[in-house]
Amino acid sequence: MGRRAAVLGHPIAHSLSPALHRAAYAALGLEGWRYDAVDVTADALPAFLAGLDDAWAGLSLTMPLKQTVLPLLDHVEPLADVVGAVNTVLVQAGAGTGVAGGPVLVGANTDVYGIVTALQEGLRDRPRGRRPGDGPAGAPADRTAAVLGAGATAASCLAALAQLGCTTPVVYVRSMGRIGSLMRAAHRMGVEPRYAPLAAAADEFGAADLVVSTLPAHAADDVAAGLGAAVASRAAGIASRAAGGDGPHGVLLDVVYDPFPTALSSAWARAGGVVVGGDRMLLHQAAEQVRLMTGLVAPVEAMAGVLGARSVHR
């Protein structure tokens, strides 16, 4: 018998999740399974969850629902609880006790898995010998990291970077007055970031081994321009921290996948760094959702096929 699943958010028409999950269902031979995109606001989420029944296997959540959903669930898995964000809801048989009622709703976070796996792909593409300890295996004790942005995705980035050995990243933010939630999440994780204004990123972040930009499209354009200027200065013989000495040697994961490449991704690639597109993070977090919702190993290559040439690292 088929099951239902969907991605919820507002707006949602741009989402690639339906194409990814449907490709997985087809490759796995799951006849009768369906996956839809449903526009749901934060205010409408409780009513939507209350209408779920046992025909549902799970939900994918995007903005603005990843935090709104927390008090509506019966259980929240430890990683999602620590991060403070749920992007996956598993619908399980039984009588739920949460605010929404209906079946048992379990919250999980696959964004962390998606970020870790995407960065690991970039590390495999990173030229060896640029720094002591470089190479695809292991996590050097001195590996450095930076995060651009302090929204819900930034907390998942901190957890992912911690798994890769970076527990003291620099977080560049547009407003120091809006980092309270991220600071609390970092404390729960045992991560100790340094917070700095986004304007400072152009002078510093190029030297990092791992960089994740969680900023929306065009929000990092000034940082990209600063990196380009720093590289030009380096070429002219002027020392610059942003240029990373001999140029960016690290991996940039830009979570924006449309439009791609962004100005930041293009500037990083021109300067010599490795770029991983946001669609790789999307792919791997969706693959983990497929595994959790179906109980089957996700067909990653079949799912990647729907993303096309944008999946290629630069």
Side-chain angles (χ1 to χ4, degrees), residues 223-264:
V223 179
L227 176 62
V231 172
S233 295
R234 184 200 72 222
I238 303 172
S240 171
R241 292 175 67 191
D246 60 348
H249 52 262
V251 177
L252 168 69
L253 168 61
D254 192 333
V255 303
V256 174
Y257 60 83
D258 189 14
F260 186 83
T262 62
L264 180 62

Side-chain angles (χ1 to χ4, degrees), residues 118-195:
L119 286 172
Q120 287 175 329
E121 288 182 339
L123 286 170
R124 288 195 293 270
D125 285 355
R126 181 182 178 181
R128 299 190 185 200
R130 300 296 292 274
R131 276 173 50 105
D134 273 356
D142 64 345
R143 184 175 283 168
T144 58
V147 176
L148 306 184
T153 304
S156 294
C157 290
L158 293 184
L161 290 170
Q163 290 186 22
L164 292 170
C166 304
T167 57
T168 57
V170 183
V171 179
Y172 296 99
V173 300
R174 288 181 286 183
S175 172
M176 286 291 190
R178 301 177 63 182
I179 63 175
S181 177
L182 184 61
M183 291 179 69
R184 290 188 291 273
H187 179 74
R188 292 193 299 269
M189 298 175 206
V191 175
E192 300 179 351
R194 173 171 70 86
Y195 298 94

Side-chain angles (χ1 to χ4, degrees), residues 7 14-22 35 60 257 282 285-286 289:
V7 58
H14 67 285
S15 177
L16 293 176
S17 292
L20 288 166
H21 284 256
R22 291 167 185 168
Y35 188 101
S60 308
Y257 60 83
L282 179 70
Q285 66 82 25
Q289 287 181 336

Side-chain angles (χ1 to χ4, degrees), residues 28-46:
L28 292 171
L30 294 176
E31 297 182 4
W33 280 65
R34 58 178 288 187
Y35 188 101
D36 302 304
V38 184
D39 195 299
V40 176
T41 65
D43 290 341
L45 183 60

Side-chain angles (χ1 to χ4, degrees), residues 1-313:
M1 182 180 69
R3 303 289 301 278
R4 293 190 65 186
V7 58
L8 313 182
H10 179 75
I12 201 62
H14 67 285
S15 177
L16 293 176
S17 292
L20 288 166
H21 284 256
R22 291 167 185 168
Y25 297 165
L28 292 171
L30 294 176
E31 297 182 4
W33 280 65
R34 58 178 288 187
Y35 188 101
D36 302 304
V38 184
D39 195 299
V40 176
T41 65
D43 290 341
L45 183 60
F48 186 92
L49 296 181
L52 298 176
D53 57 28
D54 291 340
W56 286 84
L59 303 170
S60 308
L61 302 181
T62 186
M63 297 304 294
L65 307 178
K66 294 183 180 183
Q67 294 169 325
T68 304
V69 74
L70 285 165
L72 306 177
L73 301 171
D74 298 293
H75 305 288
V76 178
E77 293 189 349
L79 178 60
D81 187 41
V82 168
V83 170
V86 164
N87 78 314
T88 307
V89 175
L90 305 176
V91 183
Q92 300 180 348
T97 59
V99 175
V104 176
L105 303 182
V106 178
N109 183 303
T110 68
D111 282 337
V112 175
Y113 175 86
I115 295 167
V116 168
T117 308
L119 286 172
Q120 287 175 329
E121 288 182 339
L123 286 170
R124 288 195 293 270
D125 285 355
R126 181 182 178 181
R128 299 190 185 200
R130 300 296 292 274
R131 276 173 50 105
D134 273 356
D142 64 345
R143 184 175 283 168
T144 58
V147 176
L148 306 184
T153 304
S156 294
C157 290
L158 293 184
L161 290 170
Q163 290 186 22
L164 292 170
C166 304
T167 57
T168 57
V170 183
V171 179
Y172 296 99
V173 300
R174 288 181 286 183
S175 172
M176 286 291 190
R178 301 177 63 182
I179 63 175
S181 177
L182 184 61
M183 291 179 69
R184 290 188 291 273
H187 179 74
R188 292 193 299 269
M189 298 175 206
V191 175
E192 300 179 351
R194 173 171 70 86
Y195 298 94
L198 184 62
D203 291 327
E204 300 176 355
F205 84 121
D209 297 300
L210 297 172
V211 178
V212 185
S213 175
T214 69
L215 297 173
H218 305 298
D221 286 2
D222 288 345
V223 179
L227 176 62
V231 172
S233 295
R234 184 200 72 222
I238 303 172
S240 171
R241 292 175 67 191
D246 60 348
H249 52 262
V251 177
L252 168 69
L253 168 61
D254 192 333
V255 303
V256 174
Y257 60 83
D258 189 14
F260 186 83
T262 62
L264 180 62
S265 295
S266 296
W268 189 268
R270 285 195 301 268
V274 174
V275 174
V276 181
D279 53 357
R280 299 304 292 183
M281 170 192 166
L282 179 70
L283 166 67
H284 292 298
Q285 66 82 25
E288 183 66 358
Q289 287 181 336
V290 169
R291 186 187 70 82
L292 292 173
M293 293 180 193
T294 68
L296 302 172
V297 176
V300 176
E301 292 305 315
M303 297 171 70
V306 306
L307 296 178
R310 292 184 305 171
S311 300
V312 177
H313 308 317

